[in-house]
Amino acid sequence: MSTDTAAPGSALLLPRHVAVLLLASVATLFAGNHVAARLAFDEGTGLLLAVLVRSAVALTVLVALFLWQGKRLQIPASSRPWQLLAGLMVAVQSLCLYSAVARIPVVVALLLMNTFPIQLALLTWALGGPRPTLRAALIMTVILVGLVVVLDVPAWLASPEALGPAWLPGVAFGLGAAAAFSCALWITEHHLGAVGSTLRSLLTMLTVFVAMLAAGALQLVPGGMALPGSGTGWGALVALALLYSVAFSVLFISVPRLEMARNAPVMNVEPVASLLLGYLVLGQMLSATQLVGATIVLGGIVALSLSPR
């Protein structure tokens, strides 16, 4: 979720090396959250339970921030249905991303999730916004080529069983997470400008929390509320909630001092951190060819984020 831009002089910008280090640390915490999620799922933790616990802790943090800032719980009537829809899109994004993480290597899931700038640009264009520039279109093409390499599509087409039955659904969930997040971002940009960032984030997380409770009560996801089957699973569940909430809180509070327009590409460290953590914690490792593809994707995403439009 985006935050309000500080008025000039309202907050001193951090030195760039400090801002970059802070953003890289936040990205690493987000990566750790996804690695912990995979460990929790491997120990029998239900998908809905993981999202529910994570959103509950994050919601607690947001409520505290909201009260501390003395904000008013007021939202324009015309924005209410859009706010609800944005929250539901984030709920879908959370479920899809964790579903991808449960099926394929964490770094692959995050690379798929990080295609959301492409999907957002195309969605904006389809809904009457500006057409992507030629430079942006070329960068998007390079990213897609990199994804073909990192997903090892030729090998999958030649021998689908070699990558396992969960590979294709995992890829679909990863792309679905990016699509849902793109929709949430488009709604936020075009219909929620009148809603303060703290309140918008709080209501979004509240929507996710309530949606997970409802899905669990209705048993929409078989085994979705299953408890971890071991102490390791419980530890991973606690870790994913704490890592996400700490990263979210630090980012949310620090944004006015981070010069995000200039430093946001640093957040693309997340897949790199997940690659290292996935190897150290889960033993997941990509092949040399896939690593080349991942480098192409990350390079393209950074270049796209630095584009003038």
Side-chain angles (χ1 to χ4, degrees), residues 92-226:
V92 171
Q93 180 256 338
S94 299
L95 284 175
C96 285
L97 183 53
Y98 271 6
S99 295
V101 164
R103 291 168 170 80
I104 56 180
V106 176
V107 63
V108 176
L110 292 181
L111 287 172
L112 290 167
M113 172 61 202
N114 278 349
T115 62
F116 76 84
I118 297 177
Q119 298 196 37
L120 178 58
L122 296 177
L123 177 64
T124 301
W125 181 26
L127 294 177
R131 182 178 63 182
T133 62
L134 177 60
R135 179 177 183 271
L138 291 175
I139 294 173
M140 292 177 189
T141 302
V142 170
I143 292 173
L144 293 176
V145 171
L147 281 176
V148 169
V149 176
V150 79
L151 295 176
D152 207 2
V153 171
W156 184 85
L157 292 175
S159 180
E161 66 278 1
L163 297 176
W167 186 262
L168 188 56
V171 171
F173 278 123
L175 292 174
F181 191 56
S182 299
C183 291
L185 290 177
W186 185 87
I187 292 169
T188 299
E189 180 179 356
H190 291 85
H191 295 285
L192 297 179
V195 184
S197 61
T198 306
L199 178 58
R200 184 170 64 239
S201 299
L202 189 157
L203 293 175
T204 297
M205 202 60 63
L206 178 61
T207 303
V208 174
F209 179 75
V210 173
M212 294 307 102
L213 281 178
L218 296 174
Q219 298 183 345
L220 297 181
V221 178
M225 297 296 287

Side-chain angles (χ1 to χ4, degrees), residues 11 17 19 61 151 172 189 241 302:
H17 68 281
V61 171
L151 295 176
E189 180 179 356
V302 172

Side-chain angles (χ1 to χ4, degrees), residues 15 23 51 80-81 123 183 189 191 195 199 231-232 274 283 292 298 307:
L23 285 171
V51 180
R80 292 171 189 171
L123 177 64
C183 291
E189 180 179 356
H191 295 285
V195 184
L199 178 58
T232 300
S274 71
V292 171
L298 283 174
S307 295

Side-chain angles (χ1 to χ4, degrees), residues 194-287:
V195 184
S197 61
T198 306
L199 178 58
R200 184 170 64 239
S201 299
L202 189 157
L203 293 175
T204 297
M205 202 60 63
L206 178 61
T207 303
V208 174
F209 179 75
V210 173
M212 294 307 102
L213 281 178
L218 296 174
Q219 298 183 345
L220 297 181
V221 178
M225 297 296 287
L227 297 176
S230 67
T232 300
W234 280 107
L237 180 61
V238 172
L240 74 86
L242 291 179
L243 288 170
Y244 179 85
S245 299
V246 170
F248 181 87
S249 302
V250 171
L251 184 62
F252 193 95
I253 294 171
S254 304
V255 156
R257 305 186 63 190
L258 293 176
E259 198 178 4
M260 290 298 286
R262 182 184 184 192
N263 297 321
V266 177
M267 291 296 291
N268 290 304
V269 166
E270 184 179 357
V272 179
S274 71
L275 180 65
L276 178 60
L277 292 173
Y279 173 72
L280 294 175
V281 178
L282 304 171
Q284 296 179 345
M285 188 60 188
L286 302 184
S287 67

